[in-house]
Amino acid sequence: MMRAGIGAGMGAGDGLCDDEGLARLVATIGADAVAGLAEVERLLVAYPDDARLHFLKGSLLVGAKRFVGAHLALSRAVELAPDFDLARFQLGFFELTSGEAAAAVRTWAPLEQSLAEDHWMRLFVTGLRALAEDRYAACREALTAGIAANRDNAPLNADMALIVAECEKLDGAGEGAAAADDPVSATSLLLGSARRH
């Protein structure tokens, strides 16, 4: 099972990169993203069906602004491991930031069915869906609750905090006023936050 994390505990006997190799890869990525991407590519030759490697590749490609490849890699991770919740969440987040809100909702649907209502990832999904509907107060509330509940992924908390800050600005002007005077789409809000991050 790969419910929330990167899925430690699965060994090479399963046709997957062993935990030690995965730990070395994560350390390499932490030190140098370019070297990390090269190492992911090398490992994918040996372990082409390891969803964790596709997820890491997709994440690195997002950071490098290579969006077509990122989408393909994240999609492949979810295809290989439909219960890999973090990969599913990140694929939906990527789709939402790319202006594909309907695709994001479809991608996230299994998370809304399988995760408890107070799980941080489900709270993030709830908040991002509210954002896509320009309900900034509801977005802020759900994302703030998700940040408080999330002890697994600090970088994701930082991304959500940027969105909360933007929602506070928009909500402060009143949701109706913001929509009437200065239309802001969920995508432009997300992309604006991502550019500043």
Side-chain angles (χ1 to χ4, degrees), residues 5-194:
I6 293 186
M10 298 168 49
D14 303 316
L16 305 175
C17 182
D18 62 36
D19 291 344
E20 189 176 300
L22 191 64
R24 281 194 307 270
L25 172 61
V26 170
T28 300
I29 291 169
D32 181 348
V34 174
L37 181 57
E39 182 64 8
V40 170
E41 295 282 13
R42 187 188 71 75
L43 287 169
L44 277 168
V45 172
Y47 308 106
D49 294 330
D50 192 326
R52 302 166 304 173
L53 296 176
H54 289 280
F55 168 71
L56 290 170
K57 177 181 177 180
S59 299
L60 288 166
L61 291 175
V62 168
K65 300 188 182 337
R66 293 169 52 187
F67 299 125
V68 172
H71 186 260
L72 289 171
L74 291 172
S75 296
R76 182 65 177 148
V78 172
E79 179 185 331
L80 287 167
D83 63 345
F84 187 176
D85 291 346
L86 186 57
R88 181 173 291 284
F89 174 79
Q90 292 285 37
L91 174 59
F93 188 52
F94 178 85
E95 290 166 339
L96 183 64
T97 60
S98 300
E100 301 293 333
V105 168
R106 285 191 302 273
T107 297
W108 286 331
L111 298 178
E112 294 177 302
Q113 296 167 1
S114 66
L115 298 175
E117 286 185 18
D118 61 350
H119 188 283
W120 62 266
M121 204 177 302
R122 184 159 175 193
L123 289 165
F124 286 166
V125 168
T126 299
L128 292 170
R129 286 189 70 170
L131 178 64
E133 297 165 1
D134 297 327
R135 294 184 296 114
Y136 303 120
C139 172
R140 188 179 69 238
E141 181 181 339
L143 293 185
T144 300
I147 290 167
N150 178 14
R151 301 285 181 259
D152 301 327
N153 192 317
L156 194 53
N157 276 352
D159 291 341
M160 297 300 117
L162 288 170
I163 297 168
V164 168
E166 292 298 320
C167 285
E168 286 173 351
K169 291 179 194 173
L170 292 169
D171 193 40
E175 293 186 21
D181 298 337
D182 186 19
V184 178
S185 71
T187 302
S188 64
L189 176 63
L190 288 166
L191 290 176
S193 295

